[in-house]
Amino acid sequence: LPRVNAVQLHRWMELLSEGNGHILRDELFAYLDGLSAEEKFDYEILHSFWLQFQQIVLNVIWNKQLDITKILPVIRRGETAKSLQDLTETVEQTVAFFTQESAQENKNTLIQRVEQYVEDHLDSPLNVGDIADVMFMNADYLSRLFKSEKGIPLKEYIVTRKMQTAQVLLRTTTLP
């Protein structure tokens, strides 16, 4: 049975992990098309490919500490794929899952960076526009994104954090 070489498997794992789904999908389909063109396609080949790809998927889930139950139905579907079309649809769904997870992760990372920026600059004047400039974003978009993720407008978050810090300083120091 044809096996994907280790370098290619590693590349595919990195692409999946980084959320580069469109690139990964194109490379996987090119590989499968190559096998198809060589007429090396039967159930065993499909199953062998799926096992190798499934190992990549499970490694990424483990490394990123994702909830495996979200993708288990897709993995099970891949195990029973009987045609190239079944397999390509399953690969497409798998890649889409990781692309969505990566987008959510990037959004969370941005929100964490905003929160850290606010924490680091509590002692200076802060406004949404300044934070948006530092994050290379539109202020309105950043405000909407922050509110959708945290449930509180960014402007209100800044004021709340400044007030909480002032309360702690008033209780724990002799500062006026």
Side-chain angles (χ1 to χ4, degrees), residues 39-53:
E39 297 180 12
K40 294 183 176 178
F41 241 72
D42 61 15
Y43 175 75
E44 286 185 43
I45 300 295
L46 289 175
H47 190 66
S48 174
F49 171 81
W50 179 254
L51 289 176
Q52 293 171 76
F53 183 66

Side-chain angles (χ1 to χ4, degrees), residues 16-143:
L16 191 63
S17 183
E18 294 166 359
N20 291 317
H22 61 286
I23 297 170
L24 175 62
R25 187 188 66 235
D26 292 347
E27 288 187 17
L28 290 170
F29 290 169
Y31 176 79
L32 292 171
D33 287 344
L35 287 178
S36 180
E38 295 173 18
E39 297 180 12
K40 294 183 176 178
F41 241 72
D42 61 15
Y43 175 75
E44 286 185 43
I45 300 295
L46 289 175
H47 190 66
S48 174
F49 171 81
W50 179 254
L51 289 176
Q52 293 171 76
F53 183 66
Q54 181 181 9
Q55 189 61 48
I56 291 171
V57 169
L58 294 174
N59 281 336
V60 172
I61 288 171
W62 176 263
N63 290 337
K64 294 177 96 45
Q65 299 177 344
L66 299 175
D67 181 6
I68 194 169
T69 59
K70 292 179 180 178
I71 196 158
L72 268 179
V74 177
I75 290 173
R76 288 188 182 119
R77 196 170 313 123
E79 291 172 357
T80 60
K82 301 233 184 295
S83 69
L84 179 58
Q85 183 178 351
D86 290 346
L87 189 65
T88 55
E89 288 173 6
T90 304
V91 166
E92 185 83 40
Q93 291 171 347
T94 304
V95 170
F97 168 79
F98 283 96
T99 302
Q100 291 169 351
E101 287 293 320
S102 182
Q104 183 61 40
E105 190 176 282
N106 289 342
K107 201 185 299 183
N108 291 341
T109 301
L110 172 66
I111 299 303
Q112 289 169 346
R113 286 183 22 231
V114 168
E115 288 174 324
Q116 188 60 53
Y117 185 84
V118 170
E119 292 302 313
D120 293 345
H121 296 88
L122 284 172
D123 59 341
S124 58
L126 274 177
N127 65 52
V128 175
D130 294 339
I131 296 171
D133 289 344
V134 170
M135 301 293 161
F136 301 104
M137 298 188 74
N138 175 284
D140 291 333
Y141 176 73
L142 180 60
S143 290

Side-chain angles (χ1 to χ4, degrees), residues 125-163:
L126 274 177
N127 65 52
V128 175
D130 294 339
I131 296 171
D133 289 344
V134 170
M135 301 293 161
F136 301 104
M137 298 188 74
N138 175 284
D140 291 333
Y141 176 73
L142 180 60
S143 290
R144 284 192 309 273
L145 185 63
F146 192 89
K147 184 172 182 175
S148 74
E149 291 299 309
K150 294 306 233 175
I152 180 175
L154 180 54
K155 184 176 181 178
E156 189 176 324
Y157 175 79
I158 294 167
V159 171
T160 300
R161 285 301 302 128
K162 283 186 173 263
M163 294 298 286

